[in-house]
Amino acid sequence: MLDWLPWEQETTMEELKAYYDRNYMAHAKAMEYAEDTLKACRGKGLRLGIITNGYSHVQHAKIDLLNLRGYFDAIVVSGDVEIRKPDSRIYQLALDRLDVAPEETVIVGDHPVNDIWGAAQARIRGIWLRRKHAWDETLMGGKPWRMIRELNEIPALLEQYELEPCGTGRD
């Protein structure tokens, strides 16, 4: 950014980082349908958790700014536990905090490796939220359990899931 942007005044990496730290949170926005989907999942009596990579203070501030904390039974921030996705231990930690088994669990994520592949290593089914990251079957060893384009597809998908036995994750 220092080299690419047309700065009116020369700046340093330290000044740029300080600006980012001061202003980043003002631009945080929940994904479309996030609150409605969380309410619907809570209404079904589901236990919900977050697993997120990042600095503790940034991730917790973001969760609080977006008023999401109350929806979750467990929040695992990599900066708190010194384990990052896609390491399967972070998923196991979330399972332990939620007191659920992997075969009872579904993860929703937009990053093929960090969210879906990483969770699969802990035997958790993945719902891939298609966004900017491409899926690479050769790297991932197959397809995600399910794919969606918007969060509001989750409640209906989970109704199907309750009736379907645990499979291989390959459709």
Side-chain angles (χ1 to χ4, degrees):
M1 288 178 65
L2 290 174
D3 295 335
W4 296 340
L5 294 177
W7 300 99
E8 289 180 16
Q9 286 184 313
E10 194 171 314
T11 190
T12 67
M13 183 59 79
E14 291 77 23
E15 291 170 327
L16 184 60
K17 181 167 178 352
Y19 177 85
Y20 176 85
D21 289 344
R22 281 192 314 272
N23 294 285
Y24 170 74
M25 293 309 296
H27 301 283
K29 183 177 180 243
M31 287 184 181
E32 192 169 6
Y33 309 114
E35 190 171 356
D36 291 340
T37 300
L38 290 168
K39 286 179 182 176
C41 289
R42 279 308 227 178
K44 292 178 178 293
L46 299 175
R47 298 183 56 75
L48 303 176
I50 294 177
I51 304 171
T52 182
N53 283 346
Y55 295 112
S56 297
H57 69 284
V58 172
Q59 298 303 81
H60 286 289
K62 191 185 322 180
I63 291 165
D64 290 335
L65 176 73
L66 299 174
N67 295 314
L68 298 177
R69 190 172 300 273
Y71 290 105
F72 295 97
D73 301 293
I75 297 174
V76 180
V77 177
S78 66
D80 292 339
V81 299
E82 298 181 4
I83 307 169
R84 295 181 57 83
K85 297 184 294 183
D87 187 324
S88 64
R89 295 176 299 162
I90 199 165
Y91 300 97
Q92 186 59 55
L93 181 60
L95 292 169
D96 293 344
R97 289 184 181 180
L98 288 168
D99 193 28
V100 296
E103 57 274 3
E104 301 172 316
T105 306
V106 173
I107 188 167
V108 177
D110 66 345
H111 196 281
V113 174
N114 287 351
D115 298 322
I116 307 305
W117 182 85
Q121 304 316 296
R123 300 182 340 269
I124 299 170
R125 294 180 198 206
I127 298 174
W128 178 41
L129 177 62
R130 294 185 206 187
R131 290 288 187 244
K132 62 182 178 181
H133 303 288
W135 188 270
D136 181 349
E137 279 192 40
T138 59
L139 175 65
M140 257 54 91
K143 295 180 180 180
W145 177 65
R146 297 290 183 268
M147 292 182 259
I148 60 172
R149 293 194 182 278
E150 297 293 343
L151 292 175
N152 64 349
E153 298 173 52
I154 293 170
L157 188 57
L158 292 179
E159 284 180 21
Q160 265 183 308
Y161 168 69
E162 291 171 357
L163 302 175
E164 188 173 301
C166 190
T168 63
R170 295 175 190 245
D171 291 289

